[in-house]
Amino acid sequence: MAEEAAVRAQADTVRRLKQDKADPDEIAKEVAKLLEMKAQLGEDEGKHKFVLKTPKGTRDYGPKQMAIRERAFNAIISCFKRHGAEVIDTPVFELKETLTGKYGEDSKLIYDLKDQGGELLSLRYDLTVPFARYLAMNKITNIKRYHIAKVYRRDNPAMTRGRYREFYQCDFDIAGRFDPMIPDAECLKIVHEILSDLQLGDFVIKVNDRRILDGMFAVCGVPDSKFRTICSSVDKLDKVPWEEVRSEMVGEKGLSPEAADRIGEYVQLHGGLDLIERLLQDPKLSQNKLAKEGLGDMKLLFEYLTLFGITGKISFDLSLARGLDYYTGVIFEAVLLHQENEHVEEPVSVGSVAGGGRYDGLVGMFDPKGRKVPCVGVSIGIERIFSILEQRLEASEEKIRTTETQVLVASAQKKLLEERLKLISELWDAGIKAEMLYKKNPKLLNQLQYCEDTGIPLVAIVGEQELKDGVVKLRIVATREEVSVRRESLVEEIRIRTS
Amino acid sequence: MAEEAAVRAQADTVRRLKQDKADPDEIAKEVAKLLEMKAQLGEDEGKHKFVLKTPKGTRDYGPKQMAIRERAFNAIISCFKRHGAEVIDTPVFELKETLTGKYGEDSKLIYDLKDQGGELLSLRYDLTVPFARYLAMNKITNIKRYHIAKVYRRDNPAMTRGRYREFYQCDFDIAGRFDPMIPDAECLKIVHEILSDLQLGDFVIKVNDRRILDGMFAVCGVPDSKFRTICSSVDKLDKVPWEEVRSEMVGEKGLSPEAADRIGEYVQLHGGLDLIERLLQDPKLSQNKLAKEGLGDMKLLFEYLTLFGITGKISFDLSLARGLDYYTGVIFEAVLLHQENEHVEEPVSVGSVAGGGRYDGLVGMFDPKGRKVPCVGVSIGIERIFSILEQRLEASEEKIRTTETQVLVASAQKKLLEERLKLISELWDAGIKAEMLYKKNPKLLNQLQYCEDTGIPLVAIVGEQELKDGVVKLRIVATREEVSVRRESLVEEIRIRTS
């Protein structure tokens, strides 16, 4: 009975934590411990109390959500295919060391698998590092591919805003040595096409270049060794005001106040070709080799985007930094603009829905001889898009079908199960999408009601008289019209009426 | 320098293990340790030697494999939709305790995540337990759904035969309280449709019922407490001969030799309606309530399968047991038959490609009040099917396209990059699948060669004269025919020629 006492003590711990409103993770952990102890004690006929939930930061997708999700996926996949991309897939986990040293400060958010003997594994954190590993491993130097799959981050979830620990990424990347800015421009065109197609409202695609940022840091007096950490401070500017970012730079990261203030002047700049031209004349920036290269390419990029007719939605923005370590050139991020209130002048940003950039060094980190394969790519943040589409659908009261069933095979009288089975089998074999109720003797009313509820447009009714006459009664649910169709013409009739 | 000595010692350990041809898992573990130690020592400019591989038992899918995979998925999804199924998705991991106690002896193969604070998690082992959790959590008592996703098993991989640690399952399940055997028969119809559609060669679907097995165990004198463990011995009969299974029952599991021999007589029986009728008259079995119920339902099932016209491929087989604990009624498994050699009389089974059964108790294990939702379902083992399709395609030399690109936008002279960008942008906006080479001045020959290599059927060629005349030269790759098309008719012309 020592075990029972231990269980009671553990139950007290859980109660106390709950009263104290302790960290939910900690509570969950203690609850899990309690349940394990209870399980070991032996259960009373399987009446063990489960915590009936999905893991923190994850969700199930029911049929309705899946229907919405497929709409969004279709728009994205169509676009990727329109641009000639192939598709690949990689495992959900990688050797732990494949991910090590690729994500900078974010590495702490990686999910590791338990060491159960064998290799040390981690869940993928994005699709870019696995892609680079794939290229190096297969010695591929030239590919345009998309990859749609789930990635995992032990981040603080904000599920109502579409931020999860398990979420889909939809990535499109172009790998290979090409003339400058042509693939980069195509990536921006793709973001523009997808966001337009999904009709998510107004958006802007911010663009910058890691070389411009690094050049800017250099001319502002940031020491080389602090480039990446100051870069990740700048990255916070879309969430917190400059004053806070500045005090992080000076306080936590030991940057001189003067350098910080000089950065402060640059990062408020955003514009188009005009701004690029101005910065190319900037007495300090124009002296920096990296910045000059970056600005030159940015100019070329804007020329190509002008040919694509999409500069209206592109903003060259010096405050854009992107969190990940591996970017080496152009970076970009698309945000939705949301006119919170018509009287507000400045549109409010509701968050990033796509991002990407150039990473010319990542594949080389995997290649045994360090051979580089230049890459540029874009990742569509589909979860945020889902939550918008989901909210919109709920507001609109549009009824969304979750199956594609064309016809319900029904019977008007009892004892016709065998006939229904024979007919539905014929329809399936002819490629017709058909259902029937799994009852021996269903009421006709219930069968019709099922069609109303699920949106099935047709009912094929078998009855004794029809069987004798070699016909089937076909009912059109919307109009309640009924026609008699010869059995051998039924498939064709259903096809015509549902095409 | 103590660290360096430690690294050298670790390197020796790895060398020794390799020489000794130790367990690959153990070697991999020590290698990982070595790499970690090296990494901590500090690397020489990123020249750290990666083990460039995917985790044991997993693989990447390149564009060609993905094209094959999508063919198979399309056949399967079409079938599931034809039968009116909705689709759901669940997270790749579950709370560890959600999976605990559902898989019997196989539980040791579950992947656990590392405890990084918070909940204890495991990767899903199949899609059935998450489905049951989903039903209980959302109080759903009636649904027909499919779910296609990856599952994870720390099993011994046999990759050439399509056995992986990460693999797709394609599940179709019907949950709800219905008249007997109607949904069960539909599951078998689905397996029949999919295997026929995929043209994998001849197959047989073995069918049995857990109640018949349990009844058989009872009349053979197996004590109740040994039903499940004797059942998992029977499950091995498709891989090892009866003598071995018998000695496991008697030796390891302590069954009396007489009981084992009685089982041995039953498990060699297989047949159709005739066998069911015979067993219904069997003096011992017919006295057992469970067996009688099971045999009665089996008879009904065969009647429905006769109406579906598929009994030719169905075999009632008393040796079929299925490994998982949760089945309560009908169980089935489809195996491909492979005529190894025309002179061999008996076809050789090359392995299971689909399986499933009825599990009426699983949802109740999750429901706080133990409310049951009867379920029956089928799982298609797609990896095995992939490897067959892949091998077949390799043998056939059929060239498989990995993109859907309709047209390459090319130029005949230099300095036409801008014109190519403008034209391709017009085509993309009109929904045409178009590519161009990412070079400023590509040679026409290289552009045409690219189309040959990738199977792009059309080339839209811009040249100075064409620009002046307001036309585009459209080349049909297969015939080398070239036609002049007015720019405003180009989209329509491409659509017609590629429809």
Side-chain angles (χ1 to χ4, degrees), chain A residues 286-327:
Chain A
S286 61
Q287 297 308 306
N288 180 284
K289 189 170 162 287
L290 271 178
K292 220 174 132 191
E293 260 180 47
L295 286 165
D297 277 348
M298 189 60 72
K299 195 176 157 191
L300 194 58
L301 179 67
F302 266 77
E303 284 166 18
Y304 296 159
L305 299 179
T306 307
L307 293 166
F308 287 161
I310 60 171
T311 43
K313 302 246 185 255
I314 312 274
S315 167
F316 170 43
D317 188 325
L318 283 167
S319 75
L320 179 72
R322 304 275 300 155
L324 298 170
D325 259 18
Y326 49 63
Y327 291 117

Short mmCIF file of all heavy atoms in Angstrom, two decimals, chain A residues 286-327:
data_model
loop_
_atom_site.label_atom_id
_atom_site.label_comp_id
_atom_site.label_asym_id
_atom_site.label_seq_id
_atom_site.Cartn_x
_atom_site.Cartn_y
_atom_site.Cartn_z
N SER A 286 27.57 53.16 -49.78
CA SER A 286 28.13 52.92 -51.11
C SER A 286 29.61 52.56 -51.05
O SER A 286 30.18 52.06 -52.01
CB SER A 286 27.91 54.13 -52.01
OG SER A 286 28.58 55.25 -51.45
N GLN A 287 30.25 52.84 -49.92
CA GLN A 287 31.66 52.48 -49.76
C GLN A 287 31.82 51.02 -49.31
O GLN A 287 32.92 50.48 -49.36
CB GLN A 287 32.33 53.39 -48.72
CG GLN A 287 32.37 54.85 -49.11
CD GLN A 287 32.97 55.05 -50.50
OE1 GLN A 287 34.07 54.59 -50.77
NE2 GLN A 287 32.22 55.69 -51.40
N ASN A 288 30.72 50.42 -48.85
CA ASN A 288 30.81 49.06 -48.33
C ASN A 288 30.54 48.04 -49.44
O ASN A 288 29.50 48.11 -50.11
CB ASN A 288 29.81 48.90 -47.18
CG ASN A 288 29.85 47.51 -46.59
OD1 ASN A 288 29.34 46.56 -47.18
ND2 ASN A 288 30.51 47.37 -45.44
N LYS A 289 31.48 47.10 -49.62
CA LYS A 289 31.39 46.18 -50.75
C LYS A 289 30.11 45.34 -50.72
O LYS A 289 29.38 45.21 -51.70
CB LYS A 289 32.63 45.27 -50.74
CG LYS A 289 32.79 44.40 -51.97
CD LYS A 289 34.14 43.71 -51.99
CE LYS A 289 34.16 42.52 -52.94
NZ LYS A 289 33.42 41.35 -52.45
N LEU A 290 29.84 44.76 -49.52
CA LEU A 290 28.65 43.90 -49.37
C LEU A 290 27.37 44.67 -49.67
O LEU A 290 26.50 44.21 -50.43
CB LEU A 290 28.57 43.37 -47.93
CG LEU A 290 29.29 42.06 -47.63
CD1 LEU A 290 29.13 41.73 -46.15
CD2 LEU A 290 28.70 40.94 -48.49
N ALA A 291 27.25 45.86 -49.05
CA ALA A 291 26.04 46.66 -49.23
C ALA A 291 25.85 47.01 -50.69
O ALA A 291 24.73 46.97 -51.22
CB ALA A 291 26.10 47.91 -48.36
N LYS A 292 26.96 47.36 -51.36
CA LYS A 292 26.89 47.77 -52.76
C LYS A 292 26.41 46.61 -53.63
O LYS A 292 25.53 46.78 -54.48
CB LYS A 292 28.27 48.22 -53.22
CG LYS A 292 28.24 49.44 -54.12
CD LYS A 292 29.64 49.91 -54.41
CE LYS A 292 29.81 50.14 -55.91
NZ LYS A 292 31.23 50.35 -56.25
N GLU A 293 26.97 45.43 -53.39
CA GLU A 293 26.52 44.23 -54.11
C GLU A 293 25.03 43.99 -53.89
O GLU A 293 24.27 43.75 -54.83
CB GLU A 293 27.24 43.00 -53.54
CG GLU A 293 28.43 42.50 -54.33
CD GLU A 293 29.02 41.28 -53.64
OE1 GLU A 293 28.26 40.35 -53.25
OE2 GLU A 293 30.24 41.28 -53.46
N GLY A 294 24.63 44.05 -52.62
CA GLY A 294 23.23 43.80 -52.27
C GLY A 294 22.31 44.80 -52.93
O GLY A 294 21.25 44.43 -53.47
N LEU A 295 22.70 46.08 -52.91
CA LEU A 295 21.86 47.12 -53.49
C LEU A 295 21.80 46.98 -55.01
O LEU A 295 20.73 47.19 -55.62
CB LEU A 295 22.38 48.51 -53.09
CG LEU A 295 22.10 48.89 -51.63
CD1 LEU A 295 22.96 50.09 -51.19
CD2 LEU A 295 20.61 49.21 -51.43
N GLY A 296 22.92 46.61 -55.61
CA GLY A 296 22.95 46.39 -57.06
C GLY A 296 21.97 45.29 -57.45
O GLY A 296 21.17 45.45 -58.38
N ASP A 297 22.01 44.18 -56.73
CA ASP A 297 21.10 43.07 -57.01
C ASP A 297 19.65 43.46 -56.73
O ASP A 297 18.72 43.03 -57.42
CB ASP A 297 21.48 41.84 -56.19
CG ASP A 297 22.60 41.03 -56.87
OD1 ASP A 297 22.89 41.31 -58.06
OD2 ASP A 297 23.17 40.14 -56.23
N MET A 298 19.46 44.27 -55.68
CA MET A 298 18.10 44.70 -55.33
C MET A 298 17.50 45.51 -56.48
O MET A 298 16.32 45.37 -56.81
CB MET A 298 18.14 45.54 -54.04
CG MET A 298 16.79 45.87 -53.43
SD MET A 298 15.80 44.42 -52.97
CE MET A 298 16.70 43.82 -51.55
N LYS A 299 18.36 46.32 -57.11
CA LYS A 299 17.90 47.13 -58.24
C LYS A 299 17.46 46.21 -59.39
O LYS A 299 16.40 46.39 -59.98
CB LYS A 299 19.04 48.04 -58.69
CG LYS A 299 18.59 49.15 -59.59
CD LYS A 299 19.74 50.08 -59.94
CE LYS A 299 19.42 50.81 -61.24
NZ LYS A 299 20.59 51.53 -61.76
N LEU A 300 18.31 45.22 -59.67
CA LEU A 300 18.00 44.26 -60.72
C LEU A 300 16.69 43.52 -60.41
O LEU A 300 15.81 43.36 -61.27
CB LEU A 300 19.15 43.25 -60.83
CG LEU A 300 19.22 42.35 -62.06
CD1 LEU A 300 19.29 43.18 -63.33
CD2 LEU A 300 20.44 41.42 -61.95
N LEU A 301 16.54 43.12 -59.16
CA LEU A 301 15.32 42.43 -58.73
C LEU A 301 14.10 43.28 -59.02
O LEU A 301 13.11 42.81 -59.58
CB LEU A 301 15.41 42.10 -57.23
CG LEU A 301 14.19 41.40 -56.62
CD1 LEU A 301 14.03 40.00 -57.18
CD2 LEU A 301 14.30 41.33 -55.09
N PHE A 302 14.17 44.57 -58.65
CA PHE A 302 13.03 45.45 -58.88
C PHE A 302 12.74 45.63 -60.37
O PHE A 302 11.58 45.77 -60.76
CB PHE A 302 13.23 46.80 -58.17
CG PHE A 302 12.61 46.83 -56.80
CD1 PHE A 302 13.22 46.21 -55.72
CD2 PHE A 302 11.37 47.45 -56.60
CE1 PHE A 302 12.63 46.21 -54.46
CE2 PHE A 302 10.77 47.46 -55.34
CZ PHE A 302 11.40 46.84 -54.28
N GLU A 303 13.77 45.60 -61.19
CA GLU A 303 13.52 45.68 -62.63
C GLU A 303 12.73 44.46 -63.11
O GLU A 303 11.77 44.60 -63.88
CB GLU A 303 14.86 45.78 -63.40
CG GLU A 303 15.47 47.17 -63.31
CD GLU A 303 16.94 47.21 -63.76
OE1 GLU A 303 17.38 46.26 -64.45
OE2 GLU A 303 17.63 48.17 -63.40
N TYR A 304 13.12 43.29 -62.63
CA TYR A 304 12.39 42.08 -63.03
C TYR A 304 10.95 42.08 -62.49
O TYR A 304 10.01 41.68 -63.17
CB TYR A 304 13.13 40.82 -62.56
CG TYR A 304 14.49 40.62 -63.21
CD1 TYR A 304 15.45 39.81 -62.62
CD2 TYR A 304 14.81 41.24 -64.42
CE1 TYR A 304 16.70 39.61 -63.21
CE2 TYR A 304 16.06 41.06 -65.01
CZ TYR A 304 16.99 40.24 -64.42
OH TYR A 304 18.21 40.06 -65.00
N LEU A 305 10.80 42.55 -61.25
CA LEU A 305 9.46 42.60 -60.65
C LEU A 305 8.57 43.58 -61.40
O LEU A 305 7.36 43.40 -61.47
CB LEU A 305 9.55 42.95 -59.17
CG LEU A 305 10.35 41.96 -58.30
CD1 LEU A 305 10.40 42.43 -56.85
CD2 LEU A 305 9.76 40.57 -58.39
N THR A 306 9.19 44.64 -61.96
CA THR A 306 8.43 45.59 -62.77
C THR A 306 7.91 44.89 -64.03
O THR A 306 6.75 45.07 -64.41
CB THR A 306 9.32 46.78 -63.17
OG1 THR A 306 9.90 47.32 -61.97
CG2 THR A 306 8.51 47.86 -63.87
N LEU A 307 8.76 44.05 -64.64
CA LEU A 307 8.30 43.29 -65.82
C LEU A 307 7.17 42.34 -65.45
O LEU A 307 6.27 42.08 -66.24
CB LEU A 307 9.47 42.50 -66.42
CG LEU A 307 10.59 43.34 -67.05
CD1 LEU A 307 11.83 42.50 -67.29
CD2 LEU A 307 10.10 43.96 -68.36
N PHE A 308 7.22 41.80 -64.24
CA PHE A 308 6.14 40.93 -63.76
C PHE A 308 4.89 41.72 -63.36
O PHE A 308 3.85 41.14 -63.06
CB PHE A 308 6.60 40.10 -62.55
CG PHE A 308 7.57 38.99 -62.88
CD1 PHE A 308 8.36 38.44 -61.88
CD2 PHE A 308 7.67 38.48 -64.16
CE1 PHE A 308 9.24 37.40 -62.16
CE2 PHE A 308 8.56 37.44 -64.45
CZ PHE A 308 9.35 36.91 -63.46
N GLY A 309 5.03 43.05 -63.27
CA GLY A 309 3.89 43.90 -62.92
C GLY A 309 3.44 43.78 -61.47
O GLY A 309 2.25 43.94 -61.16
N ILE A 310 4.37 43.50 -60.55
CA ILE A 310 3.93 43.29 -59.17
C ILE A 310 4.60 44.22 -58.15
O ILE A 310 4.43 44.03 -56.96
CB ILE A 310 4.18 41.82 -58.72
CG1 ILE A 310 5.66 41.46 -58.79
CG2 ILE A 310 3.35 40.85 -59.56
CD1 ILE A 310 5.99 40.12 -58.15
N THR A 311 5.32 45.26 -58.65
CA THR A 311 6.02 46.12 -57.67
C THR A 311 5.05 46.87 -56.75
O THR A 311 5.45 47.30 -55.67
CB THR A 311 6.92 47.15 -58.39
OG1 THR A 311 6.19 47.69 -59.49
CG2 THR A 311 8.21 46.52 -58.87
N GLY A 312 3.79 47.01 -57.16
CA GLY A 312 2.81 47.68 -56.32
C GLY A 312 2.69 47.07 -54.93
O GLY A 312 2.31 47.75 -53.98
N LYS A 313 2.98 45.79 -54.82
CA LYS A 313 2.83 45.12 -53.52
C LYS A 313 4.19 44.79 -52.89
O LYS A 313 4.25 44.02 -51.92
CB LYS A 313 2.06 43.79 -53.70
CG LYS A 313 0.69 43.97 -54.30
CD LYS A 313 -0.39 43.59 -53.32
CE LYS A 313 -1.75 43.65 -53.96
NZ LYS A 313 -2.51 44.84 -53.52
N ILE A 314 5.27 45.33 -53.44
CA ILE A 314 6.60 45.00 -52.92
C ILE A 314 7.19 46.24 -52.22
O ILE A 314 7.11 47.34 -52.75
CB ILE A 314 7.55 44.58 -54.05
CG1 ILE A 314 6.90 43.55 -54.96
CG2 ILE A 314 8.88 44.10 -53.48
CD1 ILE A 314 7.00 42.12 -54.56
N SER A 315 7.73 46.04 -51.03
CA SER A 315 8.36 47.14 -50.32
C SER A 315 9.77 46.75 -49.90
O SER A 315 9.96 45.78 -49.16
CB SER A 315 7.52 47.49 -49.08
OG SER A 315 8.24 48.35 -48.23
N PHE A 316 10.76 47.50 -50.41
CA PHE A 316 12.14 47.31 -49.96
C PHE A 316 12.21 47.90 -48.55
O PHE A 316 11.98 49.09 -48.37
CB PHE A 316 13.08 48.01 -50.94
CG PHE A 316 14.51 48.10 -50.46
CD1 PHE A 316 15.15 47.02 -49.86
CD2 PHE A 316 15.23 49.28 -50.65
CE1 PHE A 316 16.47 47.12 -49.43
CE2 PHE A 316 16.55 49.38 -50.22
CZ PHE A 316 17.17 48.30 -49.61
N ASP A 317 12.47 47.06 -47.56
CA ASP A 317 12.30 47.48 -46.16
C ASP A 317 13.55 47.10 -45.36
O ASP A 317 13.84 45.94 -45.14
CB ASP A 317 11.06 46.77 -45.59
CG ASP A 317 10.67 47.29 -44.21
OD1 ASP A 317 11.58 47.64 -43.42
OD2 ASP A 317 9.46 47.36 -43.94
N LEU A 318 14.27 48.13 -44.92
CA LEU A 318 15.55 47.89 -44.23
C LEU A 318 15.39 47.31 -42.84
O LEU A 318 16.37 46.90 -42.21
CB LEU A 318 16.37 49.18 -44.18
CG LEU A 318 17.03 49.51 -45.52
CD1 LEU A 318 17.56 50.94 -45.53
CD2 LEU A 318 18.17 48.53 -45.79
N SER A 319 14.16 47.24 -42.33
CA SER A 319 13.96 46.65 -41.00
C SER A 319 13.72 45.14 -41.07
O SER A 319 13.67 44.46 -40.06
CB SER A 319 12.77 47.31 -40.29
OG SER A 319 11.56 46.85 -40.85
N LEU A 320 13.58 44.61 -42.30
CA LEU A 320 13.33 43.17 -42.42
C LEU A 320 14.65 42.41 -42.23
O LEU A 320 15.62 42.67 -42.94
CB LEU A 320 12.73 42.84 -43.79
CG LEU A 320 12.47 41.34 -44.01
CD1 LEU A 320 11.30 40.86 -43.18
CD2 LEU A 320 12.25 41.03 -45.49
N ALA A 321 14.66 41.47 -41.28
CA ALA A 321 15.92 40.75 -40.99
C ALA A 321 15.78 39.24 -41.11
O ALA A 321 16.72 38.55 -41.47
CB ALA A 321 16.43 41.12 -39.61
N ARG A 322 14.61 38.65 -40.82
CA ARG A 322 14.37 37.19 -40.80
C ARG A 322 15.23 36.51 -39.75
O ARG A 322 16.40 36.78 -39.59
CB ARG A 322 14.63 36.54 -42.17
CG ARG A 322 13.85 37.12 -43.30
CD ARG A 322 12.46 36.56 -43.48
NE ARG A 322 12.43 35.13 -43.74
CZ ARG A 322 11.38 34.37 -43.45
NH1 ARG A 322 10.31 34.90 -42.90
NH2 ARG A 322 11.40 33.09 -43.72
N GLY A 323 14.59 35.57 -39.02
CA GLY A 323 15.26 34.97 -37.88
C GLY A 323 16.36 33.97 -38.19
O GLY A 323 17.35 33.90 -37.49
N LEU A 324 16.21 33.20 -39.28
CA LEU A 324 17.10 32.04 -39.45
C LEU A 324 18.51 32.44 -39.88
O LEU A 324 18.72 33.40 -40.60
CB LEU A 324 16.48 31.08 -40.46
CG LEU A 324 15.13 30.52 -40.01
CD1 LEU A 324 14.44 29.77 -41.13
CD2 LEU A 324 15.32 29.61 -38.81
N ASP A 325 19.45 31.64 -39.42
CA ASP A 325 20.87 31.93 -39.63
C ASP A 325 21.34 31.74 -41.07
O ASP A 325 22.31 32.35 -41.49
CB ASP A 325 21.71 30.98 -38.75
CG ASP A 325 22.18 31.69 -37.50
OD1 ASP A 325 21.60 32.74 -37.17
OD2 ASP A 325 23.13 31.20 -36.86
N TYR A 326 20.65 30.88 -41.84
CA TYR A 326 21.28 30.41 -43.06
C TYR A 326 21.14 31.31 -44.28
O TYR A 326 21.71 31.04 -45.33
CB TYR A 326 20.83 28.98 -43.39
CG TYR A 326 19.34 28.69 -43.35
CD1 TYR A 326 18.45 29.32 -44.19
CD2 TYR A 326 18.83 27.76 -42.44
CE1 TYR A 326 17.10 29.03 -44.15
CE2 TYR A 326 17.49 27.46 -42.39
CZ TYR A 326 16.62 28.10 -43.25
OH TYR A 326 15.29 27.80 -43.21
N TYR A 327 20.38 32.42 -44.17
CA TYR A 327 20.22 33.29 -45.33
C TYR A 327 21.50 34.04 -45.67
O TYR A 327 22.24 34.46 -44.78
CB TYR A 327 19.09 34.29 -45.09
CG TYR A 327 17.73 33.64 -45.06
CD1 TYR A 327 16.96 33.66 -43.91
CD2 TYR A 327 17.23 33.00 -46.18
CE1 TYR A 327 15.71 33.04 -43.87
CE2 TYR A 327 15.98 32.38 -46.15
CZ TYR A 327 15.23 32.41 -44.99
OH TYR A 327 14.01 31.80 -44.96
#
